[in-house]
Amino acid sequence: MSTHDYLRDPHAEGYLSVDHKELYFRRFGDGDDVMLGLHGGPGMPHDYLLPLSRHGSDDLSVVLYDQFGVGRSSRPAPGDFDGYTIEAYREEVEAVRRELDPDRFLVYGQSWGGMLALEYALEYGEKLSGLVLANTLADTASAYRSMRSRAEDLPSERLEEVERHEARRAYDAPAYLDALDDVYHDHVCRLEEYPPAVEHTLENVNTDVYGLMWGPNEYVLTETARLRGWDVRDDLGTIDVPTLVLTGTHDEIDPDIAAGIDERLPDSRLIEFDSSSHMPFWEQPEEHYETVETYLAERLE
């Protein structure tokens, strides 16, 4: 299904007013139970998560939204970056939950959204009826090593091109971006052509928030990154929410990282999509849909 197909389905859209911010959202389904999708980045609009809309029904609403500073949502005043922290985004999730006021509340967090979902579960676990951690991490250091290794697997000439531009901090150079696009096609989305929703997301990343919190791209973690040193692995045993952990065999975040998360959680199930990388909802859409739909049926019965 293309982006157009998903958006042709009946849905509501508008803005949630939370904490003096306007957050753009789309809602699929009419149920009083809610699954909230948390997008990646930080700084990537939610559009690439549109396949989750398939789970919307008369019983379940699927809500996707752009986080603060992202996409169509409110942006800070020029030079004001205090809202770009994991704590601020965690509290934003809780403010969104209060605004939606669901009967039962589930969170699907993908990539950076999974990090945010873990933070939310650690602080507000009693609010959750279910948790899906998709293609994500529980500590920055090991995930960065994994992602950097994907770039270093490039053929020697391409890798030299990457390192030459990084030495000059020429992160916007066409030759540098072209080389990294090879990594993306192997380890982020393995489809020959990106779906329009994925293209839209990649073309509209807020580089301010991404740069502050991580770096110029996922293959360069800066010394001053706000997520450098983030590590919740030792806290995972306190999350007693039934959790679905998803990964792809070719993910830039190595499946062993997902396995480590699964091992530490007291009530979880690990699913690996063998033909996928970082976006199984696009790469293996039917398998992903059935996996999540089965989990939702169990949690909402």
Side-chain angles (χ1 to χ4, degrees):
M1 299 177 76
S2 69
T3 303
H4 178 72
D5 292 323
Y6 290 123
L7 293 181
R8 237 174 26 197
D9 292 339
H11 67 280
E13 62 183 307
Y15 288 86
L16 298 168
S17 297
V18 298
D19 296 339
H20 310 292
K21 298 178 289 189
E22 297 293 313
L23 303 179
Y24 176 76
F25 78 94
R26 291 183 174 119
R27 183 171 188 150
F28 299 83
D30 299 311
D32 293 329
D33 296 328
V34 169
M35 181 172 75
L36 184 69
L38 301 180
H39 63 69
M44 301 176 72
H46 77 259
D47 302 72
Y48 78 105
L49 288 180
L50 278 170
L52 298 184
S53 68
R54 295 178 66 187
H55 300 288
S57 67
D58 292 341
D59 298 315
L60 178 69
S61 292
V62 174
V63 177
L64 308 174
Y65 77 101
D66 291 338
Q67 296 160 20
F68 176 61
V70 181
R72 304 161 186 82
S73 290
S74 296
R75 303 224 170 190
D80 179 8
F81 302 126
D82 289 347
Y84 293 162
T85 67
I86 198 164
E87 295 81 12
Y89 281 119
R90 179 192 66 212
E91 296 308 308
E92 178 179 281
V93 175
E94 172 57 10
V96 168
R97 184 202 64 80
R98 291 196 303 269
E99 183 70 16
L100 296 173
D101 192 25
D103 284 352
R104 288 180 289 187
F105 184 55
L106 304 95
V107 167
Y108 181 113
Q110 195 269 345
S111 196
W112 144 254
M115 301 167 68
L116 185 54
L118 282 171
E119 284 279 339
Y120 184 83
L122 289 168
E123 187 70 20
Y124 295 105
E126 74 281 0
K127 309 289 187 183
L128 285 170
S129 299
L131 181 64
V132 183
L133 301 172
N135 310 92
T136 193
L137 53 138
D139 77 290
T140 300
S142 61
Y144 176 62
R145 286 194 299 271
S146 171
M147 290 188 285
R148 185 64 195 183
S149 73
R150 304 306 196 198
E152 292 174 350
D153 283 341
L154 284 167
S156 58
E157 289 185 3
R158 300 288 268 172
L159 180 57
E160 289 170 7
E161 188 80 39
V162 166
E163 292 174 338
R164 187 161 54 249
H165 284 89
E166 288 178 347
R168 301 198 305 267
R169 298 187 179 183
Y171 302 118
D172 293 329
Y176 178 71
L177 296 175
D178 184 58
L180 289 188
D181 195 50
D182 290 349
V183 189
Y184 267 65
H185 276 285
D186 284 340
H187 300 293
V188 176
C189 184
R190 293 171 67 83
L191 300 183
E192 186 173 343
E193 292 186 13
Y194 292 152
V198 175
E199 288 278 10
H200 175 85
T201 291
L202 295 176
E203 291 170 359
N204 290 277
V205 177
N206 182 340
T207 54
D208 284 343
V209 60
Y210 198 99
L212 277 171
M213 297 188 74
W214 190 277
N217 55 67
E218 58 260 64
Y219 310 113
V220 178
L221 179 66
T222 61
E223 290 294 329
T224 57
R226 292 181 177 181
L227 290 175
R228 177 178 279 276
W230 180 81
D231 188 344
V232 298
R233 288 175 295 180
D234 289 344
D235 301 321
L236 296 182
T238 67
I239 297 175
D240 60 1
V241 182
T243 302
L244 182 62
V245 182
L246 306 179
T247 187
T249 298
H250 308 282
D251 199 339
E252 63 180 1
I253 301 172
D254 194 279
D256 286 346
I257 291 172
I261 293 173
D262 176 60
E263 289 171 3
R264 290 176 171 88
L265 290 168
D267 185 3
S268 63
R269 181 191 315 159
L270 174 66
I271 301 293
E272 180 175 333
F273 297 97
D274 60 3
S275 296
S276 293
S277 58
H278 201 55
M279 297 186 183
F281 35 85
W282 288 109
E283 298 160 299
Q284 291 179 256
E286 295 308 317
E287 295 91 333
H288 178 274
Y289 172 78
E290 292 298 336
T291 296
V292 175
E293 193 71 3
T294 298
Y295 171 77
L296 291 173
E298 293 170 353
R299 296 309 311 141
L300 300 175
E301 61 183 3

